[in-house]
Amino acid sequence: MLRAWQQSVKDMPVMSGLRKQPHLKRPLWIIILVTFVIIFLITAYVFPLSSSTACYIFSSGDCSLYHQPSFRSRELTDEETVSHVVIREILNAPPIQSKNSKIAFLYLTPGTLPFEPLWDMFFRGHDGRFSVYVHASREKPVHSSDYFIGRDIRSESVAWGKISMVDAERRLLAHALLDPDNQQFVLLSDSCVPLHNFDYVYNYLIHTNVSFLDCFVDLGPHGTGRYSERMMPEIERAAFKKGSQWFSMKRQHAIIVTADSLYYTKFRLYCKPNFEGRNCYADEHYLPTFLNMIDPGGIANRSVTYVDWSEGKWHPRSFRAQDITFEFLKNLASIDDSIHFTSDPKRRVVIGPCLWNNVKRPCYLFARKFYPETLNRMLINFSNYTAL
Ligand SMILES: *[C@@H]1O[C@H](CO)[C@@H](O)[C@H](O)[C@H]1NC(C)=O
Ligand SMILES: *[C@@H]1O[C@H](CO)[C@@H](O)[C@H](O)[C@H]1NC(C)=O
Ligand SMILES: *[C@@H]1O[C@H](CO)[C@@H](O)[C@H](O)[C@H]1NC(C)=O
Ligand SMILES: CC(=O)N[C@H]1CO[C@H](CO)[C@@H](O)[C@@H]1O
């Protein structure tokens, strides 16, 4: 929305330049122009475009967005003011009440989803309470489940660690937003599996008002070390956060993310692999940084998708068939503390309880990364382990 608006503003001079003289008669044309100028002058007089007044105009309640430390010391640019106004309006609007609230499952995959039969088992019997969207970036998937057939969206290729990953996430969100019943938007990969049954997942995600987005501070080279001063003034070093890309996002946040152009552009230009001697991966920094800046209390700061980083390698641990036992799955499903491994010199590990509406509960609804060879064991064990 915001992007479209800014786009139309940008296009305006071009369009009027290209257009032939309008067929309005001259006097009428002048009257319209003068009217617009007068309206503009009155507006500018009553509502001067500065950070402090914008706050009084556009927010009836609290003004915290404008009073965060990072904004206090400087005047906002026009783009920031517009962006903050739109964000504030979306956050303040009451969530759309839908009688048929659905969860959108967004699959980001190179091609065929190896766990489609498992997801089919997960969805079966719950028609009308979920919707499926598949973004296949390399080849057209072969679907075996009715829930997936015809659910491929327009896709483009995705390069690991590049902005095209974020673009694919935004494309999935935009498609899923077309359905007004979708209230939570879960991003999943081809190596993800469910850890609980559908009812558990549905109630966990629908009866809350936060987004489950991972967000933490890592002062080491794999965190703040990836920050570029070129993101100034909008994004200061202290605002730069890290987190896993696998989110579950509430509708308001999904709208804001698809509409954002200002902050997204900063990451597109200045957070990329091999840029100014750093490797920055936008999919690990854009959403945590952006949503923490605009709505810190609205994100849980943790993901609902389990992943094992404990080996300290470039990629998380992947699980094989022999790993899949009842005990293993039961353990993953009952973890109730979240752990963040940082890359600072002290290798700080940040541990915190997983809260759900202020109550401590299991953290994870999904898990990755599972090799396709685990499918049969997962299928056989599914009704057993998800009965917990
Ligand atoms: C997430 O962390 C921020 C600090 O970065 C904090 O202000 C916010 O309250 C946290 N969110 C929740 C839901 O606890
Ligand atoms: C979200 O829900 C919690 C607990 O139910 C409540 O304390 C909090 O004020 C709510 N936050 C918003 C932004 O509605
Ligand atoms: C699930 O598996 C465990 C371990 O093999 C077994 O003890 C238990 O009875 C099974 N439960 C069900 C409902 O099949
Ligand atoms: C609890 C349970 O059903 N475990 C089974 C999971 O699948 C493997 C492989 O088929 C079986 O050996 C386990 O008994």
Side-chain angles (χ1 to χ4, degrees):
M1 187 166 76
L2 181 54
R3 196 148 53 132
W5 184 86
Q6 288 181 341
Q7 199 58 49
S8 65
V9 170
K10 257 191 244 143
D11 289 348
M12 244 153 29
V14 181
M15 275 166 52
S16 52
L18 283 177
R19 230 190 269 151
K20 287 263 154 31
Q21 271 301 316
H23 17 270
L24 291 176
K25 272 183 257 155
R26 184 159 280 251
L28 182 57
W29 185 81
I30 289 173
I31 290 168
I32 291 173
L33 182 68
V34 168
T35 313
F36 269 105
V37 169
I38 290 171
I39 290 172
F40 175 78
L41 288 177
I42 291 173
T43 314
Y45 177 74
V46 181
F47 306 136
L49 205 60
S50 81
S51 53
S52 55
T53 47
C55 177
Y56 298 118
I57 300 157
F58 294 106
S59 67
S60 44
D62 84 286
C63 267
S64 56
L65 194 59
Y66 296 94
H67 292 162
Q68 279 184 5
S70 45
F71 300 133
R72 204 178 283 148
S73 50
R74 65 185 175 84
E75 197 172 54
L76 298 186
T77 64
D78 288 353
E79 278 159 314
E80 277 176 296
T81 308
V82 169
S83 171
H84 290 181
V85 165
V86 173
I87 289 167
R88 173 106 312 208
E89 291 295 306
I90 296 171
L91 289 177
N92 282 345
I96 298 171
Q97 296 297 324
S98 168
K99 275 205 203 77
N100 313 306
S101 291
K102 290 195 260 182
I103 295 174
F105 291 82
L106 317 176
Y107 293 89
L108 192 53
T109 174
T112 297
L113 289 157
F115 291 103
E116 213 174 282
L118 184 67
W119 289 105
D120 183 279
M121 200 178 258
F122 171 81
F123 289 133
R124 199 148 293 278
H126 303 284
D127 298 55
R129 297 163 79 207
F130 65 90
S131 44
V132 169
Y133 303 85
V134 181
H135 184 288
S137 55
R138 211 182 299 147
E139 59 200 22
K140 200 169 162 43
V142 180
H143 295 300
S144 56
S145 158
D146 288 346
Y147 297 124
F148 288 80
I149 291 169
R151 306 305 300 172
D152 296 325
I153 68 161
R154 195 191 74 80
S155 64
E156 282 184 25
S157 62
V158 168
W160 186 77
K162 296 210 175 148
I163 197 73
S164 53
M165 184 76 93
V166 175
D167 294 339
E169 293 174 12
R170 284 156 56 106
R171 204 171 287 127
L172 278 162
L173 285 173
H175 277 267
L177 279 165
L178 289 171
D179 183 342
D181 289 334
N182 286 333
Q183 295 300 323
Q184 278 274 352
F185 302 75
V186 186
L187 184 70
L188 297 159
S189 79
D190 51 314
S191 73
C192 285
V193 299
L195 284 180
H196 293 275
N197 62 40
F198 185 88
D199 282 324
Y200 187 100
V201 169
Y202 184 88
N203 291 328
Y204 197 107
L205 294 179
I206 290 287
H207 300 298
T208 189
N209 55 12
V210 298
S211 292
F212 293 96
L213 179 75
D214 196 27
C215 175
F216 65 105
V217 176
D218 176 351
L219 294 173
H222 299 165
T224 312
R226 295 172 175 172
Y227 171 79
S228 164
E229 296 283 341
R230 299 223 206 179
M231 293 188 177
M232 294 283 278
E234 290 89 348
I235 303 161
E236 296 181 354
R237 182 178 291 275
F240 194 74
K241 301 287 192 294
K242 177 167 175 161
S244 146
Q245 75 184 110
W246 308 104
F247 58 71
S248 176
M249 202 179 278
K250 62 176 180 175
R251 190 170 176 96
Q252 288 167 321
H253 287 166
I255 296 172
I256 290 169
V257 167
T258 46
D260 173 48
S261 159
L262 179 61
Y263 298 93
Y264 163 81
T265 304
K266 290 277 163 172
F267 283 85
R268 182 168 58 78
L269 296 176
Y270 309 124
C271 176
K272 46 191 178 184
N274 200 10
F275 174 68
E276 293 180 336
R278 297 180 207 89
N279 285 315
C280 186
Y281 306 111
D283 59 275
E284 291 184 359
H285 299 283
Y286 165 56
L287 291 178
T289 303
F290 178 48
L291 288 178
N292 177 264
M293 282 175 77
I294 61 154
D295 190 17
I299 58 174
N301 300 321
R302 66 176 178 93
S303 174
V304 284
T305 300
Y306 175 86
V307 68
D308 183 355
W309 280 109
S310 64
E311 291 180 342
K313 296 192 184 150
W314 269 108
H315 291 283
R317 177 166 173 214
S318 292
F319 300 106
R320 297 208 164 269
Q322 65 261 28
D323 297 317
I324 311 305
T325 63
F326 180 74
E327 287 302 316
F328 168 75
L329 293 169
K330 194 179 76 170
N331 285 344
L332 293 192
S334 54
I335 295 171
D336 57 5
D337 283 308
S338 82
I339 301 185
H340 288 121
F341 297 90
T342 72
S343 61
D344 67 19
K346 289 182 181 160
R347 298 270 153 184
R348 217 164 32 99
V349 176
V350 190
I351 302 181
C354 290
L355 298 179
W356 182 88
N357 291 349
N358 298 324
V359 181
K360 192 168 181 186
R361 280 193 70 181
C363 309
Y364 302 115
L365 304 176
F366 315 102
R368 57 192 284 272
K369 306 176 76 159
F370 283 59
Y371 278 110
E373 66 181 40
T374 60
L375 174 65
N376 273 340
R377 279 180 167 232
M378 295 297 292
L379 281 174
I380 294 167
N381 288 304
F382 182 76
S383 46
N384 189 313
Y385 78 81
T386 60
L388 299 165

